[in-house]
Amino acid sequence: MENHSSQSPSYHQNSNSVTPFLQPQPFPISEGEESDWSFLQLLSVLQRRALVIAGVTITLTTVVFVSLILNRQLPVYEGNFRLLVEPVNDDTKVVDIVKETNISKSGLDYESQIQVLKSPELMGKIVKQLQAKYPDISYNTLIKNITISRFAETKIIEVRYQSQDPNQIQVVLDQIANNYLDYSREKRQTLLQQGIQFVERQLPFIQNRVDQIQKELQTFRQKYDFVDPATQSEQVVNQITNLSEQRQIVDGKIAEVRANLSFLQEQNGKLAVLNNAILYQQLLGQVRQLDVQIATESTRLQDNNPAIQTLKQKRKSLLPLLKNEEQRFLGTKIAEVTTQLQTLEVQSQELAKVERKIELQRKQWPILARQYTELQRKLQVATESLNRFLSTRENLQIQKSQTELGWQLLEAPSKPKVPISDSSIKRYLIPGLIASIALGIGVALLQEKLDNTYHSVEILKGKVNLPLLGNIPFEKQVESIQDRISRRRFSIARILNPILKGVPGFAHQVHSNYSAKFLEALRVLYTNVQFLSSERPIASIIISSAMPGDGKSTIAFHLAQVATGMGQRVLLVDADLRQPKIHTLSGLNNLSGLSNLISTNLPTSEVIRQLPSMNQLSVITSGPIPSDPTKLLSSEKMKQLMIDFHNAFDLVIYDSPPILGLADTSLLAPYTDGILLVVKLDKTDSSMMQETLDHLRFSQMNALGMVSNGYKSNVNSY
């Protein structure tokens, strides 16, 4: 069995072997030509500069509107009133039930009614009454300024009248409203008494039928404990399915435990288990050491020599102890597996019993559900019939009470106080609004041209000819203060590690408080880095950036955690001897580190430490900040250390200072597999990025690719 312990690998075993690093890749590390904006890029710019566009648009629109108000023409006023021309209760349903009542269907042809209201016969009387006060009013002028229409899809007719004299509007509308109400009283006739009598004769029989079915349904529910058969049946099926799945899982575990037990009883299994027995390995090591000593002494001494006899006596005394420890350790392991197997078998039997019991209940449900559905259908039909008759009786009674009522005036005419918008505003306001929006967009595009940062992954890929190995999304928890994160991690780990130490994979779940998209993006980045080389895996990388604050240390720290969680032996080295961050992110002290390791004879094992929350990850902090970091990083001691790190771990990650203006990264790069550049969206300056790419090209350093940081996307993860 493979044992991932927290112990650091030995450096002395492979210190003399030098593993070759990857040769520089032929990637064109320069900025690409800036292409014309696509439609999607234009939409992205408009969304990003929405506040600028809105501010310019509102300001210019306000100026245009104020200008139009100051130069407007004479105001035009408008008044209106509304009439309810049909009752709110529709009596058309009565005819469907009471066909013998000879009541014709009510329903108004609104288009025909409006033409009648505007006819010369009806309007002529109104014009004669108005001419006594306003001689200039004629039928033609009245029809020109009046608007009669149906209000939406309601039973309301709305009448509007426009004039420059608000007093005239009120007088005209009052006269029209009074004449329309008189017209409706003379024409309206209804007769609904026969329908009411028929409905009242049928109601007692329908009510008795509903009561009888309700009693039958109540008895059925009480007898069989039915609430909702469809839901209950689905719950039973789900229970059976869940029990079956649980039993299959348990059976799988049983097979796995049996396989483990068989393996333990074989010679290979015993040897594999004994590899983890500390005391056994110690005794075995002593026996082997004695064998070596006996063989060595036998070359120069005879077998009867007291020294050889003493060594053989010691070896003979250790053999029973070795045998007893082997039997004790194997017996303990076999007993544990046997107990686990018995527990799983009992659990499988209990699940099978419960599954059979629920299956018997499920077979009874179809018959009961059919009876229940039939009772519900009968009750629904009877209830709908009863409700229909009750509603019809209520409608008929309301209509009967309104037999002598005509149209109702819902909104009386009033004198308008505020003029409607004049023609000048309508003519120029919309073009002014369009021009304001266009100018706002122009200002936004100008701002975008003057902005030198990368705003999206597409822009970054289009301008920088480096492989984009990952897009790390924006994570609020990463933005919080790092010392608070480290304290929280340390306290949680200190409490939970003793409790959950035996839980498989617990060390890999400490960083699960981050979002799934953030962690998955780091896994994708790690996988893409490993795919860069087809000959052998990437074993050492430098994570750097063009500018400070791009998030290189954060990505290096979390990438190391992800690689460790995927089974790699990872060493994270804080090679930023100017502004180190790894000790803050990891919650470790920085009393000793890389600077001490280079400048003194301090053993490497005393500098390598493990995280409190993930003891499989090895970390070397920067140590005290030296006066001349470049001198330390360019030393032969540093070169040898990097070779030792490379040989002792599966992956070594160096967090180095920004490339531009500093020689630190250039000194480390030749002894690694390459550099991974971190670019932070909306922050990294493209001109500084260009200088960094030029420096990489002239220095012939191996650039593996780049990773975007702070990527914001609304797409849901899978």
Side-chain angles (χ1 to χ4, degrees):
M1 297 182 180
E2 185 178 358
N3 184 21
H4 294 284
S5 66
S6 61
Q7 297 177 356
S8 303
S10 174
Y11 291 91
H12 302 289
Q13 296 176 358
N14 301 321
S15 60
N16 296 325
S17 61
V18 179
T19 302
F21 298 101
L22 291 180
Q23 296 301 318
Q25 301 297 317
F27 294 132
I29 49 175
S30 62
E31 287 208 341
E33 294 297 330
E34 186 174 354
S35 60
D36 295 334
W37 283 350
S38 66
F39 179 74
L40 293 179
Q41 289 175 328
L42 181 60
L43 289 181
S44 177
V45 171
L46 296 181
Q47 182 180 8
R48 189 162 53 249
R49 306 293 180 180
L51 291 178
V52 176
I53 297 174
V56 174
T57 302
I58 292 174
T59 302
L60 293 182
T61 303
T62 303
V63 173
V64 172
F65 182 79
V66 171
S67 177
L68 292 175
I69 290 295
L70 296 176
N71 300 291
R72 63 180 178 174
Q73 300 176 357
L74 293 176
V76 176
Y77 295 86
E78 184 182 81
N80 71 299
F81 67 87
R82 294 176 182 176
L83 292 171
L84 178 64
V85 298
E86 282 190 282
V88 293
N89 299 94
D90 190 7
D91 59 351
T92 58
K93 298 179 182 178
V94 178
V95 184
D96 297 335
I97 301 175
V98 195
K99 295 183 179 180
E100 67 270 29
T101 57
N102 295 324
I103 302 176
S104 61
K105 292 186 178 181
S106 66
L108 187 62
D109 183 357
Y110 284 88
E111 293 297 328
S112 301
Q113 185 64 66
I114 291 173
Q115 294 302 320
V116 172
L117 295 178
K118 297 171 67 175
S119 64
E121 181 181 357
L122 190 55
M123 280 293 183
K125 298 178 182 179
I126 300 175
V127 171
K128 291 180 181 179
Q129 295 170 352
L130 292 174
Q131 285 179 345
K133 188 172 184 180
Y134 299 101
D136 296 334
I137 292 180
S138 63
Y139 174 79
N140 293 331
T141 57
L142 187 61
I143 292 299
K144 179 180 178 181
N145 296 321
I146 199 171
T147 302
I148 303 176
S149 61
R150 184 181 182 183
F151 185 71
E153 297 297 326
T154 64
K155 301 177 180 180
I156 299 173
I157 286 181
E158 185 179 47
V159 180
R160 294 181 174 273
Y161 182 76
Q162 292 183 0
S163 175
Q164 294 180 353
D165 185 2
N167 295 320
Q168 180 185 359
I169 292 175
Q170 184 173 9
V171 173
V172 171
L173 290 179
D174 285 336
Q175 190 64 47
I176 295 174
N178 293 331
N179 280 268
Y180 282 177
L181 292 174
D182 294 338
Y183 162 79
S184 67
R185 293 189 188 99
E186 296 172 358
K187 301 296 181 181
R188 185 167 178 81
Q189 296 178 357
T190 58
L191 183 60
L192 305 172
Q193 184 61 36
Q194 293 181 2
I196 294 175
Q197 293 175 356
F198 175 81
V199 172
E200 288 179 345
R201 287 196 302 267
Q202 299 296 324
L203 278 176
F205 300 101
I206 300 175
Q207 183 67 56
N208 291 336
R209 176 63 176 164
V210 172
D211 294 339
Q212 181 182 358
I213 298 176
Q214 285 179 340
K215 290 180 181 179
E216 293 178 4
L217 186 60
Q218 180 180 357
T219 303
F220 185 86
R221 283 179 171 175
Q222 292 175 346
K223 182 178 180 180
Y224 297 105
D225 192 21
F226 256 56
V227 178
D228 186 356
T231 305
Q232 289 177 294
S233 177
E234 183 179 357
Q235 291 175 352
V236 171
V237 173
N238 291 337
Q239 288 178 356
I240 294 175
T241 303
N242 293 335
L243 288 173
S244 178
E245 292 176 353
Q246 292 177 12
R247 188 161 57 83
Q248 291 177 1
I249 294 174
V250 172
D251 292 342
K253 292 181 179 179
I254 290 175
E256 182 180 352
V257 173
R258 286 176 178 172
N260 291 337
L261 183 59
S262 300
F263 181 73
L264 288 176
Q265 294 173 351
E266 297 175 358
Q267 186 63 28
N268 292 335
K270 293 179 180 179
L271 294 177
V273 172
L274 290 175
N275 286 335
N276 296 326
I278 299 176
L279 182 57
Y280 177 83
Q281 293 296 328
Q282 292 177 351
L283 293 174
L284 182 60
Q286 294 178 11
V287 170
R288 291 176 177 174
Q289 185 177 6
L290 289 173
D291 289 340
V292 172
Q293 293 178 359
I294 291 173
T296 303
E297 294 296 330
S298 297
T299 58
R300 63 185 185 87
L301 300 176
Q302 296 182 357
D303 292 339
N304 57 359
N305 188 279
I308 294 179
Q309 293 296 326
T310 302
L311 292 175
K312 288 183 177 180
Q313 186 64 29
K314 288 182 180 180
R315 183 182 184 280
K316 184 177 180 181
S317 62
L318 287 176
L319 291 178
L321 297 177
L322 182 65
K323 185 65 176 179
N324 292 338
E325 177 60 21
E326 175 184 355
Q327 294 176 353
R328 184 195 67 79
F329 191 83
L330 289 176
T332 302
K333 289 294 181 180
I334 293 175
E336 291 176 355
V337 175
T338 304
T339 303
Q340 184 180 5
L341 178 61
Q342 293 174 353
T343 303
L344 290 173
E345 289 176 346
V346 172
Q347 186 177 359
S348 178
Q349 294 173 2
E350 292 298 325
L351 289 174
K353 290 180 182 179
V354 176
E355 184 179 355
R356 289 193 297 270
K357 181 179 179 181
I358 297 178
E359 180 65 24
L360 292 176
Q361 295 178 356
R362 186 183 67 82
K363 293 180 179 179
Q364 303 276 339
W365 278 94
I367 300 175
L368 299 177
R370 187 184 49 144
Q371 298 176 2
Y372 180 79
T373 303
E374 183 65 21
L375 286 175
Q376 277 195 322
R377 186 186 63 79
K378 292 180 180 179
L379 179 61
Q380 181 180 4
V381 172
T383 303
E384 289 176 354
S385 179
L386 177 61
N387 292 336
R388 186 165 64 252
F389 271 81
L390 290 173
S391 177
T392 301
R393 184 180 65 177
E394 182 180 356
N395 290 335
L396 291 174
Q397 289 174 347
I398 293 175
Q399 293 298 320
K400 182 180 178 182
S401 66
Q402 296 177 342
T403 300
E404 298 302 326
L405 295 178
W407 293 351
Q408 300 178 36
L409 186 63
L410 298 181
E411 184 176 336
S414 60
K415 180 181 177 180
K417 298 180 180 179
V418 180
I420 61 176
S421 299
D422 54 32
S423 58
S424 61
I425 295 179
K426 294 180 180 178
R427 185 182 302 116
Y428 298 110
L429 183 59
I430 294 178
L433 177 61
I434 295 175
S436 301
I437 296 175
L439 184 59
I441 294 175
V443 173
L445 295 179
L446 179 60
Q447 270 193 335
E448 187 70 17
K449 276 292 184 182
L450 298 177
D451 194 345
N452 290 330
T453 60
Y454 304 103
H455 297 294
S456 66
V457 174
E458 290 74 18
I459 296 176
L460 178 62
K461 291 167 62 178
K463 289 189 174 183
V464 181
N465 292 329
L466 272 180
L468 182 60
L469 303 180
N471 297 312
I472 308 303
F474 175 79
E475 182 73 13
K476 290 184 178 179
Q477 289 184 320
V478 177
E479 294 295 317
S480 61
I481 190 70
Q482 297 298 343
D483 58 348
R484 184 180 65 185
I485 296 177
S486 61
R487 287 199 302 270
R488 186 188 302 122
R489 284 178 178 163
F490 180 76
S491 61
I492 292 175
R494 185 173 56 188
I495 296 173
L496 295 184
N497 274 340
I499 301 175
L500 301 178
K501 186 176 182 180
V503 179
F506 166 70
H508 306 305
Q509 304 297 327
V510 176
H511 55 273
S512 61
N513 54 336
Y514 295 106
S515 69
K517 289 193 294 185
F518 179 77
L519 297 177
E520 197 60 32
L522 289 168
R523 296 187 185 106
V524 171
L525 172 61
Y526 168 75
T527 305
N528 290 340
V529 170
Q530 293 301 316
F531 283 161
L532 288 174
S533 175
S534 60
E535 300 177 357
R536 62 177 183 81
I538 298 295
S540 61
I541 60 174
I542 292 178
I543 297 183
S544 185
S545 61
M547 299 172 53
D550 286 346
K552 61 177 182 61
S553 300
T554 302
I555 291 181
F557 175 71
H558 291 94
L559 181 61
Q561 286 187 306
V562 167
T564 303
M566 297 178 76
Q568 297 292 302
R569 296 174 303 157
V570 181
L571 174 63
L572 175 61
V573 181
D574 192 350
D576 190 346
L577 303 183
R578 303 173 187 272
Q579 295 182 8
K581 294 289 190 306
I582 297 300
H583 66 279
T584 302
L585 293 169
S586 59
L588 300 172
N589 63 69
N590 198 26
L591 300 178
S592 62
L594 183 62
S595 60
N596 306 93
L597 195 60
I598 300 173
S599 59
T600 66
N601 293 325
L602 190 68
T604 307
S605 58
E606 294 187 12
V607 177
I608 294 182
R609 288 173 289 175
Q610 282 70 40
L611 292 184
S613 58
M614 180 178 283
N615 52 21
Q616 291 88 349
L617 174 59
S618 300
V619 179
I620 297 181
T621 60
S622 66
I625 298 177
S627 59
D628 190 357
T630 305
K631 181 179 180 180
L632 293 183
L633 296 178
S634 62
S635 63
E636 292 297 324
K637 181 69 174 293
M638 181 61 188
K639 298 175 184 178
Q640 185 60 44
L641 286 174
M642 294 180 70
I643 295 175
D644 293 343
F645 295 161
H646 185 90
N647 294 327
F649 290 87
D650 297 329
L651 178 63
V652 184
I653 299 176
Y654 296 91
D655 175 27
S656 70
I659 297 176
L660 199 60
L662 299 174
D664 299 16
T665 304
S666 302
L667 296 173
L668 300 177
Y671 303 96
T672 64
D673 289 332
I675 301 174
L676 183 63
L677 280 177
V678 177
V679 181
K680 190 163 187 180
L681 300 181
D682 295 323
K683 182 182 182 301
T684 301
D685 190 279
S686 60
S687 60
M688 298 186 69
M689 185 66 180
Q690 177 63 51
E691 294 182 23
T692 301
L693 297 176
D694 293 339
H695 177 72
L696 291 176
R697 184 172 66 254
F698 294 142
S699 302
Q700 296 184 352
M701 287 187 284
N702 185 19
L704 298 176
M706 60 181 175
V707 54
S708 67
N709 189 18
Y711 174 67
K712 296 180 181 179
S713 174
N714 295 325
V715 180
N716 291 328
S717 59
Y718 179 72

